[in-house]
Amino acid sequence: MAVKTEMKVVVLGGGVIGVSTALELAKRGAAVTLVTEAALCSGASGRSLSWLNSAGERSRPYHALRMAGIDRYRTLFAQHPTLDWLRFDGGVCWFSDDAAGTEARHAYEKAHGYDSQLMTAATVAQADATIDPDALPSQAIFNPGEGWVSLPHLTEYLVDQFRALGGEVIEHAGKASVITEQGRACGIRSERGEQRADAVVVACGPWTPDVVAPLGVTIPNGSPVSMLVITEPTGHQLRAVLNTPRAAVRPNPGNRYALDHDWYEADIQPLAGGDYHIDQQVVAKLAEEASRLLRGDEPLNVESWKMGLKPIPGDGDPVLGQLRKVPGCYVAFTHSGATLALIVGELLAEEIVSGEPHPMLASFNAERFS
């Protein structure tokens, strides 16, 4: 634990990365105010599949960061092994009947030490007996070290600690902007007034590029519109996360499941005021596709769904750290926000309080787009 500091920091964004960063700053003695446009966890963090993983192909620095992120969740899980909103029961994925592609991905994962096992219909029960073997193509991949988290539950857990350390939370502040003086960030301005600070963290999910654009910083935004569906309680006993050609499924507290995919993105229509619409038959079709993955005849029935932008920087990699053009202004804009939430909060807080850039974030600066 760092020595008490007189530093004041405003964190802009009430999703899981903003909350995690605010907590880590408070742990290090900073006076922190967390400001969010609407309610806490009402944006992308409230509709994330939140699969904890580093599966597939990505750069070595990104893989290292994701593995460190998973490590922090394992520490939390070891401290609280009975939580119903954080589990490590592995992940199973398969593609259309492409044995060569599946084997290539498996070989790539094995080559850098990621726990990866090939499964067939005859052996998939070793990964999770609830998976219907008839749903598989010739092969699937089982990654035993993967897990999942419910971000609304995690956010509440982190916010409780943040408030206990004296952190201030301002919800429903509306749109906000970063204030600068002599080229340096010195606070934020929102509908709730001004909050002055020594440093500002912009963690506004898919809106992060819009917030920093007036500062002369361009961050390409590749955020698509997505949907997360929550099912009614069910008797199915699936424990692993599934990623398949027509549905992604993870367990959710209360004997429910969270479902998503991307095949229906074109069916999501924007409405005036920033909301979205999708035909209920499309939602029902996703639940039907997910039901086909599980043994038995019990269908998954839809309880609710949410739609909105999924944060993805233009090149797919995270954007993390201080803006060189605007000293004192830090950004956190990334896909895989669930996997990275705890580690990014920790590393950003270290950078801000110490004034020293963290080497694990060096590959993810915003200036790479210049």
Side-chain angles (χ1 to χ4, degrees), residues 22 26 30-34 159-170:
V32 187
T33 301
L34 177 70
V159 166
D160 285 347
Q161 295 179 60
F162 175 63
R163 286 184 163 128
L165 290 173
E168 180 185 10
V169 178
I170 300 176

Side-chain angles (χ1 to χ4, degrees), residues 130-156:
T130 303
I131 300 171
D132 187 342
D134 293 336
L136 266 71
S138 58
Q139 292 187 109
I141 297 173
F142 176 44
N143 300 115
E146 296 177 351
W148 62 269
V149 62
S150 169
L151 293 185
H153 290 82
L154 174 63
T155 299
E156 182 180 7

Side-chain angles (χ1 to χ4, degrees), residues 3-232:
V3 177
K4 180 74 173 178
T5 174
E6 298 301 319
M7 175 174 280
K8 294 182 179 179
V9 184
V10 173
V11 176
L12 192 56
V16 69
I17 288 184
V19 171
S20 171
T21 305
L23 172 60
E24 292 296 332
L25 285 162
K27 286 180 177 179
R28 288 158 177 76
V32 187
T33 301
L34 177 70
V35 180
T36 181
E37 178 180 358
L40 289 167
C41 207
S42 59
S45 292
R47 41 183 163 75
S48 167
L49 188 70
S50 46
W51 163 40
L52 306 177
N53 78 96
S54 190
E57 297 186 26
R58 53 184 47 85
S59 68
R60 287 184 178 273
Y62 194 9
H63 175 67
L65 188 64
R66 289 173 74 115
M67 293 304 292
I70 294 171
D71 173 77
R72 298 306 189 270
Y73 278 106
R74 287 200 169 278
T75 299
L76 178 58
F77 182 70
Q79 293 168 343
H80 305 284
T82 61
L83 291 175
D84 67 350
W85 48 263
L86 173 62
R87 307 299 302 171
F88 281 96
D89 295 303
V92 178
C93 73
W94 64 82
F95 313 98
S96 298
D97 200 2
D98 177 12
T102 300
E103 290 174 1
R105 174 161 167 166
H106 168 65
Y108 177 87
E109 292 177 345
K110 292 283 287 184
H112 59 266
Y114 195 69
D115 198 353
S116 182
Q117 303 173 15
L118 283 176
M119 294 281 162
T120 65
T123 60
V124 73
Q126 298 172 21
D128 195 307
T130 303
I131 300 171
D132 187 342
D134 293 336
L136 266 71
S138 58
Q139 292 187 109
I141 297 173
F142 176 44
N143 300 115
E146 296 177 351
W148 62 269
V149 62
S150 169
L151 293 185
H153 290 82
L154 174 63
T155 299
E156 182 180 7
Y157 172 83
L158 299 177
V159 166
D160 285 347
Q161 295 179 60
F162 175 63
R163 286 184 163 128
L165 290 173
E168 180 185 10
V169 178
I170 300 176
E171 297 181 84
H172 305 287
K175 298 290 185 182
S177 59
V178 178
I179 306 170
T180 62
E181 288 182 356
Q182 298 181 335
R184 182 179 180 84
C186 61
I188 66 102
R189 181 181 294 110
S190 71
E191 295 172 11
R192 300 288 293 274
E194 291 188 2
Q195 279 77 39
R196 292 281 170 157
D198 302 300
V200 174
V201 179
V202 180
C204 300
W207 299 280
T208 298
D210 295 339
V211 175
V212 301
L215 304 175
V217 176
T218 299
I219 300 176
N221 195 345
S223 302
V225 180
S226 66
M227 174 176 68
L228 187 77
V229 172
I230 302 297
T231 71
E232 295 178 351

